[in-house]
């Protein structure tokens, strides 16, 4: 065949595309388990971060299995769901469903110095893309022990500040049950207070939309856990009375 002909060039390109495509597909399949391991490890790090635990280098999975003593899912009635893998639940998808239809993951964490915590995932929308995080509650079901937030593409120095401890540390000690009512923590402009009397934190200066996104995310994702958290409060109250 004439190597200078158009037919040869087309055939050469087609063969090259097939060979390269096959090689890339094979490489992707070979690396997929490792990629999933990295995704899972990052998720484990985030869950532990909400409970103020930093895994030792290279020990993420080991520390996660050590501190996370139980993981399960509940529904909006606070009832456990049988046969549901909490770690595999797509919180982004669940957050778009009606509260009564959601599968709600719960991670029970035994912290080194502060006892048992209950870690709940949250997911929402910022200015430029999705935002998400985890909120750790004390055994009383009302007091926030720690929080972790992350984002996909918020503006550096503005909305992206939600991932910094200066923002997330404000949630420590805040209450979601106030005067007998369940009120997720509000995110407000510095110097302002919410009208409903809920506990609050200061939003990010210059990141108003992202801050509002965090507030809406907490409201949307924590509200379905209300009855579950109430059950923790009752259990804690009964323990104190014994």
């Amino acid at each position: 065949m004439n190597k200078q002909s158009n037919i040869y060039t087309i055939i050469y390109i087609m063969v090259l595309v097939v060979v390269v495509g096959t090689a890339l597909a094979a490489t992707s399949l070979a690396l997929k388990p490792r990629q999933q391991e990295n995704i899972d490890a990052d998720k484990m790090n985030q869950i532990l971060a909400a409970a103020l635990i930093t895994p030792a280098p290279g020990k993420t999975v080991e520390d996660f299995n050590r501190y996370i003593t139980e993981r399960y899912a509940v529904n909006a009635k606070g009832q456990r769901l049988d046969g549901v893998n909490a770690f595999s639940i797509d919180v982004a998808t669940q957050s778009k469903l009606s509260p009564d239809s959601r599968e709600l993951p719960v991670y029970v964490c035994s912290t080194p110095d502060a006892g048992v915590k209950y870690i709940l995932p949250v997911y929402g929308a910022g200015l430029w893309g999705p935002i998400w995080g985890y909120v750790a509650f004390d055994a009383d079901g009302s007091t926030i022990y720690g929080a972790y937030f992350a984002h996909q593409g918020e503006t550096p120095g503005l909305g992206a500040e939600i991932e910094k401890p200066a923002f997330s540390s404000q949630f420590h000690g805040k209450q979601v049950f106030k005067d007998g009512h369940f009120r997720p923590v509000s995110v407000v402009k510095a110097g302002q207070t919410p009208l409903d009397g809920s506990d609050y934190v200061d939003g990010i200066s210059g990141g108003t939309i992202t801050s509002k996104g965090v507030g809406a995310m907490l409201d949307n994702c924590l509200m379905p856990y209300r009855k579950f958290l109430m059950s923790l409060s009752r259990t804690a109250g009964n323990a104190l009375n014994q």
Side-chain angles (χ1 to χ4, degrees), residues 144-145 147 149 167-174 185 187 201 214 218:
I144 294 178
Y145 176 71
F149 300 107
F167 177 72
S168 60
S169 63
Q170 296 182 86
F171 287 83
H172 178 73
K174 302 299 182 183
V185 177
V187 182
V201 300
V214 173
L218 295 174

Side-chain angles (χ1 to χ4, degrees), residues 147-215:
Y148 171 89
F149 300 107
H151 65 92
Q152 181 172 292
E154 299 306 286
T155 307
L158 297 175
E161 294 297 300
I162 63 170
E163 67 182 1
K164 301 293 180 62
F167 177 72
S168 60
S169 63
Q170 296 182 86
F171 287 83
H172 178 73
K174 302 299 182 183
Q175 304 282 332
V176 295
F177 284 103
K178 302 282 288 185
D179 301 323
H181 297 283
F182 183 75
R183 297 189 177 105
V185 177
S186 298
V187 182
V188 299
K189 186 176 181 180
Q192 296 182 351
T193 57
L195 298 177
D196 63 1
S198 61
D199 272 359
Y200 64 93
V201 300
D202 291 338
I204 302 297
S205 178
T208 302
I209 295 179
T210 306
S211 297
K212 289 182 177 179
V214 173

Side-chain angles (χ1 to χ4, degrees), residues 15-176:
V15 171
L16 184 62
V17 168
V18 170
V19 171
V20 173
T22 301
L24 289 174
T27 301
S28 177
L29 287 174
L31 293 177
K32 189 172 183 178
R34 179 61 61 84
Q35 292 172 339
Q36 189 60 50
E37 288 176 4
N38 290 337
I39 292 172
D40 289 348
D42 182 54
K43 183 175 179 177
M44 291 175 182
N45 269 319
Q46 294 180 23
I47 292 171
L48 291 175
L52 311 182
I53 297 173
T54 303
K59 299 290 185 179
T60 295
V61 176
E62 181 180 332
D63 284 350
F64 182 83
N65 292 329
R66 177 191 305 165
Y67 295 120
I68 302 300
T69 56
E70 198 174 2
R71 36 181 158 163
Y72 52 86
V74 299
N75 58 23
K77 295 180 181 179
Q79 302 165 330
R80 289 203 191 195
L81 300 175
D82 294 330
V84 177
N85 183 347
F87 195 80
S88 298
I89 291 175
D90 185 349
V91 179
T93 299
Q94 295 295 319
S95 69
K96 297 176 177 64
L97 301 177
S98 66
D100 291 340
S101 302
R102 296 185 198 178
E103 296 176 341
L104 308 168
V106 177
Y107 299 92
V108 184
C109 179
S110 180
T111 61
D113 304 310
V116 175
K117 308 300 172 188
Y118 295 83
I119 305 173
L120 313 179
V122 293
Y123 188 94
L127 174 59
W128 303 113
I131 56 177
W132 63 91
Y134 296 88
V135 181
F137 286 87
D138 283 341
D140 65 3
S142 178
T143 308
I144 294 178
Y145 176 71
Y148 171 89
F149 300 107
H151 65 92
Q152 181 172 292
E154 299 306 286
T155 307
L158 297 175
E161 294 297 300
I162 63 170
E163 67 182 1
K164 301 293 180 62
F167 177 72
S168 60
S169 63
Q170 296 182 86
F171 287 83
H172 178 73
K174 302 299 182 183
Q175 304 282 332
V176 295

